[in-house]
Amino acid sequence: MTDTGGDGADTPTPSQGVPQAPAAGSGEPNRPEDHAASPATPPRAWQAPGTPAPPPGWQHGPGHRPDALPPFTAQQPPYQPHQQPRWNPHGLGKPGVIALRPLNIGDILDGAITAIRRHPLLILGIGAVASVITAAIGFVVSKFAFGELQGLAKTVQLGPATTDEELRNAVFGTFGDFFLVLISSTLVSTLLLTVTTGLMAAVMGRAALGREVTFGIAWSEVQPRLLPLLGVAFVYALLSTIGVMLCIIPGVLVWVFWALAAPALVLERGTFREAFARSVKLVGGAFWRVLGVLLLARIIEGVFENIISLPFSVGSGAFSQMFNPGKVVVPSTGDLLLQSAGQIIAGTIAIPFVALVTVIVYLDQRMRREGMDIELARAAGVQPPQAW
């Protein structure tokens, strides 16, 4: 081993592990111990006896910082099962909000809820900003849509005097406007959710290790990649929304295969194209599992939002149409504002929950395929549990 600088002493590299004593009878005399030359702390590549050696070729990526997250680089060695100790409830430990082992659906949902409980101000604050923007855009879009609905109501009120052509134009024009409104609102909500997922990736990257995380720390991780993140969010939102609206199957494929692009971009510090490629690679072979987890998170989000928004919808008179089906009811500005308030309250919790689930799915896929649980345990300073 050549001298690489520093103190000049040969230290074991990750590929070599701990130096072994010379075999008996090899003829090499034992060197006297020099306690004064012994370092006060173990060398950087030191590991406890009996623990598995790091995979060959492992090294920190460029721009490594002591408080950064080295295992999130994309160049990870393949997962090697023989390096894992025997079964343990927390795998290699649980320094943060998730266990360092392949996760099941319950673990993923519990990890998202635990992250919200441990960092409520940070996570709910980000969710509140995203939900306010979503509600504001939804309010403007709704005003436009219900303006068209009011025009349809006037046409219907003409009764027999309305010609078939007038009625047909009013109906198709109104439904066309509603379709455009639906696409635009879905596009905006998906865009904001993807950006929120990128922010939550920075939060979860430290929360998974049990480290302190603040908005400043998370923002410092996201800021250098903010423009690529916005690009990833726009492309993902546009293609998935149009695909789902016009043709279900291609839209679902895009929605699932590119769902992990935002956390891959932030945590691996890659490029725009690399983020999509990494997402496809991680989802490949686990499409149905990832689809099921994401759908379950969206179902929970929808149920929660409906429960929270129900009192606001009742107060705004949104259900009056049920008792008078022959009358077209156009909500007033006050009714729309009341509905928006309910949307903000519900979205403050629901949006971060879905974003955190997506990030944990990303971490889980990397632990399953690339043995990232070993790297996370090393970064967290967790001693792997001994075999039972």
Side-chain angles (χ1 to χ4, degrees), residues 328-362:
V328 178
V329 178
V330 179
S332 64
T333 301
D335 295 336
L336 293 178
L337 287 175
L338 190 59
Q339 294 179 17
S340 298
Q343 183 181 358
I344 291 173
I345 296 175
T348 298
I349 301 177
I351 293 177
F353 173 77
V354 176
L356 287 170
V357 167
T358 304
V359 176
I360 297 176
V361 169
Y362 162 83

Side-chain angles (χ1 to χ4, degrees), residues 284-363:
F287 173 84
W288 294 110
R289 183 176 184 276
V290 175
L291 173 63
V293 175
L294 295 180
L295 276 179
L296 179 60
R298 286 302 186 98
I299 292 174
I300 294 175
E301 175 196 23
V303 171
F304 178 79
E305 287 184 340
N306 288 332
I307 293 175
I308 298 298
S309 302
L310 182 61
F312 297 90
S313 299
V314 172
S316 64
F319 295 100
S320 59
Q321 184 75 31
M322 299 174 56
F323 303 100
N324 192 2
K327 182 181 179 181
V328 178
V329 178
V330 179
S332 64
T333 301
D335 295 336
L336 293 178
L337 287 175
L338 190 59
Q339 294 179 17
S340 298
Q343 183 181 358
I344 291 173
I345 296 175
T348 298
I349 301 177
I351 293 177
F353 173 77
V354 176
L356 287 170
V357 167
T358 304
V359 176
I360 297 176
V361 169
Y362 162 83
L363 298 176

Side-chain angles (χ1 to χ4, degrees), residues 96-358:
V97 298
I98 59 173
L100 302 184
R101 59 170 172 78
L103 306 173
N104 55 39
I105 296 179
D107 296 328
I108 293 174
L109 299 180
D110 178 73
I113 296 173
T114 303
I116 296 175
R117 291 175 57 190
R118 292 191 181 181
H119 310 281
L121 294 179
L122 173 62
I123 293 177
L124 297 183
I126 296 175
V129 173
S131 62
V132 166
I133 298 175
T134 303
I137 296 177
F139 173 80
V140 174
V141 170
S142 298
K143 284 289 293 182
F144 170 78
F146 286 120
E148 295 293 327
L149 183 62
Q150 190 171 9
L152 176 63
K154 293 180 179 179
T155 304
V156 173
Q157 289 174 358
L158 293 178
T162 307
T163 63
D164 293 340
E165 183 178 359
E166 290 176 343
L167 185 59
R168 183 168 54 252
N169 292 337
V171 170
F172 281 105
T174 301
F175 279 104
D177 291 337
F178 269 113
F179 186 72
L180 293 177
V181 166
L182 181 62
I183 289 182
S184 61
S185 61
T186 305
L187 175 63
V188 170
S189 62
T190 306
L191 175 66
L192 290 174
L193 178 61
T194 307
V195 174
T196 306
T197 302
L199 291 172
M200 292 302 165
V203 174
M204 181 57 69
R206 301 183 66 89
L209 302 178
R211 295 180 179 177
E212 178 187 3
V213 55
T214 62
F215 181 79
I217 295 175
W219 179 248
S220 65
E221 292 287 333
V222 176
Q223 185 180 10
R225 288 162 289 278
L226 183 59
L227 289 180
L229 177 61
L230 292 175
V232 167
F234 178 77
V235 173
Y236 174 67
L238 180 64
L239 296 183
S240 62
T241 300
I242 295 178
V244 170
M245 292 295 179
L246 300 181
C247 188
I248 298 297
I249 295 179
V252 172
L253 293 177
V254 170
W255 180 60
V256 176
F257 275 109
W258 286 356
L260 309 183
L265 176 71
V266 173
L267 295 178
E268 296 181 11
R269 303 173 175 87
T271 62
F272 177 85
R273 293 185 178 182
E274 290 172 351
F276 288 109
R278 285 288 294 162
S279 181
V280 172
K281 181 178 179 180
L282 292 174
V283 175
F287 173 84
W288 294 110
R289 183 176 184 276
V290 175
L291 173 63
V293 175
L294 295 180
L295 276 179
L296 179 60
R298 286 302 186 98
I299 292 174
I300 294 175
E301 175 196 23
V303 171
F304 178 79
E305 287 184 340
N306 288 332
I307 293 175
I308 298 298
S309 302
L310 182 61
F312 297 90
S313 299
V314 172
S316 64
F319 295 100
S320 59
Q321 184 75 31
M322 299 174 56
F323 303 100
N324 192 2
K327 182 181 179 181
V328 178
V329 178
V330 179
S332 64
T333 301
D335 295 336
L336 293 178
L337 287 175
L338 190 59
Q339 294 179 17
S340 298
Q343 183 181 358
I344 291 173
I345 296 175
T348 298
I349 301 177
I351 293 177
F353 173 77
V354 176
L356 287 170
V357 167
T358 304

